[in-house]
Every structure is written in structure tokens, then in C-alpha cells.
Amino acid sequence: MRTLDEVQRALRARVGSDDAMKLVTTRVFLRTGVNLKQVRPEQNANAAVVTKVIGALAAVGHSLT
């Protein structure tokens, strides 16, 4: 995955419900400072930020790879 938008779509497909999505995105925000609900343009295609978010998702049990 190259952008946070792609990460968000993959996470939504994996998690499904809006309630679960809110919980996961909140945990990611607390770990990384990245809001997956409203991705900032300067963060979207930043490879380091995308890697950090994917790592945080894996740490909370939502591996996307």
C-alpha cells in the first residue's frame, strides 16, 4: 500500500462495522498521530507515515499484509 487512503479502504474491508472502525482508528491515532478518518494531504502519500500506520495496525491486531 502506498497511501493512507489505500490503508483506510483495506482496513474498512477487514473490519466492516463503523463502530469497530472508530475503535481501531482511535487506537491508530493515539499511537501515530494520524487520523485515518480525515487523512491530511501531506501525510497521504508519505511512505514513512504509511509504514508507521501499518505497523500500528499490526500491533493492535489488524495486520493488512
Side-chain angles (χ1 to χ4, degrees):
M1 282 175 249
R2 296 182 183 177
T3 67
L4 292 175
D5 288 334
E6 291 175 358
V7 171
Q8 181 190 50
R9 282 191 296 272
L11 180 61
R12 184 166 295 283
R14 177 183 165 83
V15 173
S17 77
D18 284 337
D19 289 338
M21 186 72 175
K22 287 178 189 176
L23 291 173
V24 174
T25 57
T26 298
R27 291 182 78 185
V28 168
F29 177 75
L30 292 172
R31 287 177 174 256
T32 66
V34 175
N35 183 353
L36 285 176
K37 291 184 263 179
Q38 295 179 331
V39 175
R40 294 188 348 219
E42 66 273 9
Q43 291 180 325
N44 192 33
N46 184 319
V49 174
V50 172
T51 300
K52 185 181 354 177
V53 169
I54 290 172
L57 285 168
V60 298
H62 294 284
S63 179
L64 298 179
T65 56

